[in-house]
């Protein structure tokens, strides 16, 4: 299991009688000082800053229905400081449409004009409701008349007649600083919630007080009132090679552990993985669909007639589903209506496609099961707190001898032995009639690229020749995604944009559609600028493409893991033919750099034989995850590689 170094916050509480706490913000009460604010003193680089982010989650008793409801209200006030911060004039929030209702939604822009505060309210055309997945909808708001100096304000409420399984998570950090972040939770004594925290910030206020509610005039109940405040939270700085930021930002959430009936027994709601497995296998939109498959009868017969080995059957089934089912871009673990209907329509969501693949594999006599998981953007799973809600995706798995392979047929450019990057997020859970268990979801394939350049340097400083690329794994997948369905002219333009230092005169591609093989690209190129020449010396950087010219790691200290997603191996070889009479005046010294336990390796050499100069560079990252205590070494490793790739060949005419 990949360790998560977002340290859990230990939550301490002080208990006392309920004391009414004034809300830190009132919608519509923007001050002159807030509008006159020019910069945020604690972070002068901030493009915008949350002046306040305030939320209340509560479970009120409704006498009309003699039951408890749920309500969440949130108010946000944001100061726009720079042009780069204009996007913070937009807001979006998601909700479960089937079980939740959106109540009041307000948004307004405040500007200072001629010394007066001018308000611009949001109009109907600036409100959009979008379907994000089968059961999740996203409400989007765009404030009008936003500019540097503006203050924007949002308020919304969500209600439900069913108290939620989780309240929160409430994030005390965002991509910009927050002056005041406050979350309040009011829980009647009949609901027992576990309080979970994560991150590195400490609470400025952490209170647990008590209040009262009533079911009837003579029947009262106690209410636990929680209040959390973090002041002056710094912006969460996300560097490259990170899973979802929500895994590491400071946050708190309440997870339902049990419910006490008002005049009845206690019900444990923590649940178990066994119960989740049972519920899914009995669900008409999941497990019941696995018992279908009559509509695949002809497909099974066709594959069985041609494929002899299990490997051939798996590949044929994978390619059939991929070729005949179009993904509608929706995530989810439940089918839209039924697999038969999706097969007829030849399109569907993730579950329609990958559960159909599971059924087809089983019909071919193989042992296949679905695996539910949480995508990278959705955050890491909690392995010790059983919850079905966190899973938002499903893939297929198939036993092959003693091994289990994982398949996702939604991406036309993805080969059989590779999962899309969105799926690689530590763990998944096998769901089957035989039981349920966690499995590692990781890429065992090393993503390789090999570049062979044969270039000629003329006496007038022009460089031209051939560059051949061979790509596999994620490198090939990314290449195919970038150039699919492009015309020849569009392809050349794309290649020119990707390789800034060269002009691509022509390109030939091999295996572009055969995703099970390496992509091979053969290019005729010219250097876009003449090489630098001073007196009798010519300065030339050999890395006309694939130069590592910048360290992606800039933080002095990083408290969350570096996640490369997959191991990588980058090889660059250059044969540079120079004019007769030229020799290397100076060249980069050879280098061999290893990270501890050879988790990263770099090799570099330059040699001359006659009028040919050979340059060889190999860069390898041999494991997926580096933890915070390995960060300093990794950062310095990149610094050294960047420095070597910046060194010049210096040629002198004899």
């Amino acid at each position: 299991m990949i360790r998560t170094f977002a340290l859990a916050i230990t939550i301490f509480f002080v208990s006392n009688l309920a004391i009414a706490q004034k809300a830190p913000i009132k919608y519509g009460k923007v001050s002159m000082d807030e509008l006159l604010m020019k910069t945020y003193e604690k972070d002068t680089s901030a493009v915008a800053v949350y002046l306040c982010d305030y939320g209340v989650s509560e479970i009120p008793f409704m006498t009309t229905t003699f039951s408890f409801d749920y309500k969440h209200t949130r108010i946000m006030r944001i100061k726009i400081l720079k042009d780069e911060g204009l996007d913070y004039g937009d807001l979006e929030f998601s909700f479960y449409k089937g079980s939740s209702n959106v109540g009041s939604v307000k948004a307004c822009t405040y500007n200072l004009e001629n010394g007066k505060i001018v308000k611009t309210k949001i109009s109907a055309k600036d409100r959009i409701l979008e379907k994000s997945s089968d059961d999740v909808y996203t409400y989007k708001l765009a404030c009008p008349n936003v500019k540097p100096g503006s203050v924007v304000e949002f308020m919304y409420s969500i209600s439900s007649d069913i108290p939620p399984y989780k309240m929160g998570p409430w994030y005390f950090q965002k991509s910009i600083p927050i002056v005041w972040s406050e979350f309040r939770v009011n829980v009647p004594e009949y609901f027992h919630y576990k309080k979970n925290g994560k991150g590195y910030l400490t609470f400025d206020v952490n209170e647990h007080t008590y209040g009262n509610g009533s079911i009837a005039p003579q029947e009262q109940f106690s209410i636990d009132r929680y209040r959390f405040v973090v002041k002056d939270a710094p912006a969460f700085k996300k560097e490259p090679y990170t899973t979802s930021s929500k895994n590491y930002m400071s946050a708190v959430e309440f997870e339902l552990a049990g419910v006490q009936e008002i005049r009845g027994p206690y019900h444990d709601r923590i649940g178990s993985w066994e119960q989740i497995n049972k519920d899914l296998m009995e669900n008409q939109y999941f497990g019941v669909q696995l018992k279908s498959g009559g509509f695949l009868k002809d497909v099974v017969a066709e594959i069985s007639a041609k494929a002899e080995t299990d490997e051939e059957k798996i590949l044929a089934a994978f390619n059939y589903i991929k070729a005949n089912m179009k993904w509608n871009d929706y995530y989810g673990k439940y089918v839209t209506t039924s697999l038969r209907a999706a097969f007829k329509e030849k399109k569907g969501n993730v579950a329609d496609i990958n559960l159909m693949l599971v059924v087809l594999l089983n019909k071919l006599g193989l042992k296949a099961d679905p695996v539910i998981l949480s995508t990278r953007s959705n955050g890491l799973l909690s392995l010790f707190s059983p919850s079905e809600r966190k899973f938002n995706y499903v893939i297929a798995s198939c036993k092959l001898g003693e091994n289990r392979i994982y398949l996702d047929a939604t991406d036309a450019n993805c080969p059989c032995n590779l999962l899309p990057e969105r799926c690689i997020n530590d763990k998944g859970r096998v769901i089957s009639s035989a039981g349920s268990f966690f499995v590692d979801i990781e890429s065992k394939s090393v993503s390789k690229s090999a570049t062979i350049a044969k270039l000629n340097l003329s006496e007038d400083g022009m460089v031209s020749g051939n560059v051949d690329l061979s790509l596999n794994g994620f490198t090939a997948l990314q290449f195919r995604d970038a150039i699919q369905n492009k015309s020849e002219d569009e392809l050349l333009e794309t290649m020119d944009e990707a390789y800034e230092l060269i002009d691509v005169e022509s390109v030939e591609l091999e295996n572009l559609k055969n995703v099970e093989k390496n992509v091979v690209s053969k290019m005729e190129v010219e250097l876009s600028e003449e090489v630098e020449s001073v007196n009798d010396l010519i300065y030339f950087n050999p890395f006309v493409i694939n130069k590592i010219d910048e360290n992606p790691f800039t933080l002095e200290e990083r408290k969350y893991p570096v996640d490369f997603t997959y191991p990588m191996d980058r090889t660059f070889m250059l044969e540079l033919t120079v004019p007769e009479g030229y020799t290397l005046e100076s060249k980069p010294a050879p280098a061999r750099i290893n990270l501890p336990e050879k988790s990263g390796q770099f090799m570099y050499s330059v040699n001359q034989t006659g009028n040919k100069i050979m340059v060889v560079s190999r860069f390898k990252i041999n494991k997926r995850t580096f933890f915070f205590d390995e960060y300093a070494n990794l950062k310095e490793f990149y610094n050294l590689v960047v420095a070597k790739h910046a060194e010049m060949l210096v040629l002198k005419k004899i």
Side-chain angles (χ1 to χ4, degrees), residues 488-520:
E488 185 175 346
D489 289 342
E490 291 172 332
L491 175 59
L492 288 175
E493 183 179 347
T494 300
M495 301 291 265
D496 277 336
E497 291 175 355
Y499 307 121
E500 297 178 358
L501 298 179
I502 58 176
D503 292 325
V504 180
E505 302 297 315
S506 67
V507 59
E508 293 181 12
L509 299 175
E510 298 177 7
N511 305 325
L512 187 61
K513 299 297 184 182
N514 189 349
V515 300
E516 302 301 328
K517 293 186 177 182
N518 290 5
V519 174
V520 177

Side-chain angles (χ1 to χ4, degrees), residues 350-371:
V350 163
D352 290 319
I353 291 171
N354 286 330
L355 291 185
M356 191 182 298
L357 177 57
V358 171
V359 171
L360 179 55
L361 290 168
N362 281 320
K363 291 290 184 182
L364 288 167
L366 301 164
K367 177 60 178 117
D369 299 300
V371 176

Side-chain angles (χ1 to χ4, degrees), residues 60-78:
F61 181 76
M62 310 301 292
T63 55
T64 54
T65 59
F66 202 76
S67 63
F68 288 93
D69 282 6
Y70 167 71
K71 184 177 181 181
H72 174 74
T73 303
R74 188 168 195 167
I75 303 174
M76 290 171 279
R77 185 177 295 166
I78 305 167

Side-chain angles (χ1 to χ4, degrees), residues 290-500:
L290 301 178
K291 300 175 183 178
S292 65
F295 57 89
L296 293 170
K297 180 180 177 181
D298 293 342
V299 180
V300 172
E302 182 180 349
I303 293 176
S304 298
K306 296 178 181 179
E308 297 181 357
T309 66
D310 288 349
E311 289 88 345
E312 290 174 345
K313 290 179 181 178
I314 292 170
L315 182 59
F318 177 76
N319 285 336
Y320 178 85
I321 297 296
K322 197 168 61 166
N324 289 275
M325 292 296 297
K326 181 176 176 57
W327 181 36
N328 61 13
D329 294 330
Y330 287 154
Y331 291 3
K333 55 186 176 289
Y334 299 112
V335 302
T336 308
T337 53
S338 70
L339 291 183
R340 179 180 291 275
F343 182 76
K344 184 177 180 180
E345 292 291 324
K346 294 191 178 298
K347 65 180 180 180
N349 67 8
V350 163
D352 290 319
I353 291 171
N354 286 330
L355 291 185
M356 191 182 298
L357 177 57
V358 171
V359 171
L360 179 55
L361 290 168
N362 281 320
K363 291 290 184 182
L364 288 167
L366 301 164
K367 177 60 178 117
D369 299 300
V371 176
I372 55 176
L373 54 83
S374 172
T375 55
R376 291 173 72 86
S377 62
N378 194 50
L380 292 168
L381 295 170
S382 172
L383 305 185
F384 308 106
S385 182
S387 172
E388 175 264 331
R389 284 178 176 267
K390 185 66 175 178
F391 297 91
N392 68 327
Y393 204 93
V394 60
I395 59 175
S397 71
C398 188
K399 289 283 289 182
L400 188 59
E402 296 300 315
N403 299 317
R404 183 179 289 271
I405 64 172
Y406 303 99
L407 307 159
D408 184 344
T410 61
D411 192 331
N413 290 324
C414 204
C416 188
N417 66 341
L418 201 70
L419 287 173
E421 187 171 345
R422 59 181 173 267
C423 298
I424 301 174
N425 195 29
D426 192 17
K427 298 287 185 183
R429 185 96 186 170
V430 172
I431 302 296
S432 75
S433 57
S436 172
F437 52 91
F438 280 112
V439 290
D440 293 327
I441 302 295
E442 60 184 1
S443 176
K444 300 184 183 301
S445 173
V446 178
S447 184
K448 294 183 178 181
S449 70
T451 303
I452 300 177
K454 294 185 177 182
L455 304 177
N456 297 299
L457 172 64
S458 64
E459 290 198 37
D460 59 4
M462 299 299 294
V463 177
S464 62
N466 301 305
V467 176
D468 295 347
L469 304 176
S470 178
L471 313 173
N472 81 345
F474 281 96
T475 309
L477 174 60
Q478 293 158 4
F479 184 89
R480 288 184 171 104
D481 286 343
I483 67 169
Q484 63 180 353
N485 302 323
K486 291 189 181 295
S487 67
E488 185 175 346
D489 289 342
E490 291 172 332
L491 175 59
L492 288 175
E493 183 179 347
T494 300
M495 301 291 265
D496 277 336
E497 291 175 355
Y499 307 121
E500 297 178 358

Side-chain angles (χ1 to χ4, degrees), residues 33-51 78-89 146-152 176-177 179:
D33 287 342
E34 290 171 330
L35 281 164
L36 289 171
M37 178 181 178
K38 301 296 184 184
T39 187
Y40 179 53
E41 292 183 359
K42 290 183 169 58
D43 183 356
T44 56
S45 67
V47 299
V49 57
Y50 276 81
L51 300 173
I78 305 167
K79 175 70 178 185
I80 309 299
L81 297 170
K82 302 177 182 179
D83 286 329
E84 296 87 346
L86 295 179
D87 286 345
Y88 290 97
V146 177
K147 52 192 172 184
S150 300
V151 171
V152 295
I176 56 175
V179 177

Side-chain angles (χ1 to χ4, degrees), residues 586-602:
S586 65
K587 64 179 181 179
R592 284 185 177 272
I593 306 169
N594 291 317
L595 282 170
E597 300 178 353
K598 295 186 177 180
S599 55
Q601 297 173 286
F602 175 68

